[in-house]
Amino acid sequence: RSGTVPSDLLRQQMLAANPQYGPLLALLPRANEDPTPNDPYRDFFRRSAVRPSREDSGIARLDFTLTPRDSLFVRYSILDGYALNPGLSEVTGREFPSQDRSGTLSYNRILSARALNELRLGVNKQDLPRTDRPFIHQQIGSLDGYLSTPGQEVLQANGGSWTVLDNFGYTVGGHSINAGFELQRFHYGRANYENPNYDVDSLEDLLASRFTSVRVTIGNDLRRLQESRWGLFVLYDFRVNPRLTLNLG
């Protein structure tokens, strides 16, 4: 990672002109290369950075025969991940933690020699946040133009769903009937905040806290969109002979 950083002289002048610049200057490292020729106010910084990432997953399942007529199946899985896009300094960069969880339950009951019922329940949830490390809600913000400082934004996105399904089956001779219902519920939520961004074109404007433009993002708390789906189904199979089966659904 590399970029322009303020010289010690510019840091002193900025803090003297406006102490509110202090938190922004703390995000920028001091130069580690030769000063920029003919510019006593801006220097250069360069560092090697690793982009760390990981994915951890786990799964647990249970198969249990409750009685000769009843059986239960349960499964839970989780995927937990993390990635970092490094910034100019160790205290900056953009983090991408994520998590995906799901669970399933299936209950089967033999009602008779000809009838069987299956009930399924399922749920899953995803979290996909994105955070700039320097972000502190309602702080001074960031600079662009003559001197740039890291952006300050946080995005939280999550969603999930749940499902209920029941399937009843009945068989007699060459006739087979399956009937049931399925109900699904989906939701998605999003929250976004970003501290103000100030454009400044010159050294004089920077020291005078005089900005060419200011971008203010109001942001929003977590809001959710929801959707429901449901359906009924009936399937009839008729085995005419060992080589021919008709079905209607």
Side-chain angles (χ1 to χ4, degrees):
R1 308 293 293 181
S2 61
T4 301
V5 296
S7 66
D8 290 341
L9 175 61
L10 180 56
R11 290 174 185 268
Q12 295 172 5
Q13 293 188 8
M14 288 177 65
L15 290 174
N18 186 350
Q20 295 298 320
Y21 283 140
L24 297 184
L25 292 173
L27 301 176
L28 296 174
R30 297 185 181 274
N32 61 0
E33 295 194 359
D34 293 336
T36 305
N38 303 320
D39 189 346
Y41 298 104
R42 292 179 294 187
D43 292 333
F44 200 77
F45 176 84
R46 187 191 308 273
R47 77 180 181 102
S48 298
V50 177
R51 294 187 175 182
S53 64
R54 64 164 178 82
E55 284 191 353
D56 300 319
S57 62
I59 185 170
R61 62 175 290 167
L62 170 69
D63 293 279
F64 186 58
T65 301
L66 302 171
T67 71
R69 290 176 173 266
D70 302 276
S71 62
L72 183 69
F73 167 75
V74 180
R75 181 181 63 201
Y76 176 78
S77 61
I78 182 171
L79 174 63
D80 187 86
Y82 175 83
L84 171 66
N85 186 14
L88 195 59
S89 71
E90 296 288 347
V91 297
T92 62
R94 177 166 287 182
E95 296 179 317
F96 299 86
S98 62
Q99 194 172 85
D100 192 332
R101 291 155 287 174
S102 64
T104 302
L105 182 147
S106 176
Y107 172 67
N108 290 270
R109 178 169 177 77
I110 300 174
L111 302 174
S112 69
R114 297 176 177 177
L116 171 69
N117 193 81
E118 179 187 19
L119 174 66
R120 294 182 188 177
L121 305 176
V123 61
N124 69 77
K125 191 175 189 306
Q126 303 89 31
D127 291 295
L128 300 169
R130 183 189 74 197
T131 305
D132 291 329
R133 279 183 162 183
F135 178 84
I136 301 177
H137 190 46
Q138 296 182 342
Q139 292 298 301
I140 185 173
S142 57
L143 299 174
D144 271 328
Y146 181 82
L147 182 67
S148 296
T149 61
Q152 300 181 26
E153 181 184 13
V154 61
L155 172 67
Q156 180 183 0
N158 60 46
S161 66
W162 55 262
T163 302
V164 178
L165 181 147
D166 190 82
N167 182 21
F168 170 79
Y170 185 83
T171 302
V172 55
H175 304 272
S176 175
I177 297 177
N178 284 274
F181 72 90
E182 182 173 8
L183 175 63
Q184 295 179 323
R185 180 78 166 180
F186 303 89
H187 68 268
Y188 172 78
R190 177 187 173 106
N192 187 208
Y193 299 99
E194 183 177 5
N195 289 334
N197 179 268
Y198 305 90
D199 289 317
V200 57
D201 291 337
S202 66
L203 173 63
E204 293 74 17
D205 290 341
L206 179 64
L207 297 179
S209 299
R210 187 171 54 242
F211 308 112
T212 305
S213 63
V214 179
R215 186 178 71 251
V216 178
T217 304
I218 297 176
N220 62 273
D221 294 330
L222 187 64
R223 298 178 180 177
R224 293 190 181 278
L225 300 176
Q226 297 184 343
E227 177 185 359
S228 297
R229 299 178 185 175
W230 65 271
L232 303 174
F233 62 90
V234 176
L235 178 65
Y236 171 66
D237 291 333
F238 174 50
R239 188 177 61 185
V240 180
N241 57 54
R243 300 180 60 184
L244 177 62
T245 299
L246 303 179
N247 63 70
L248 176 67

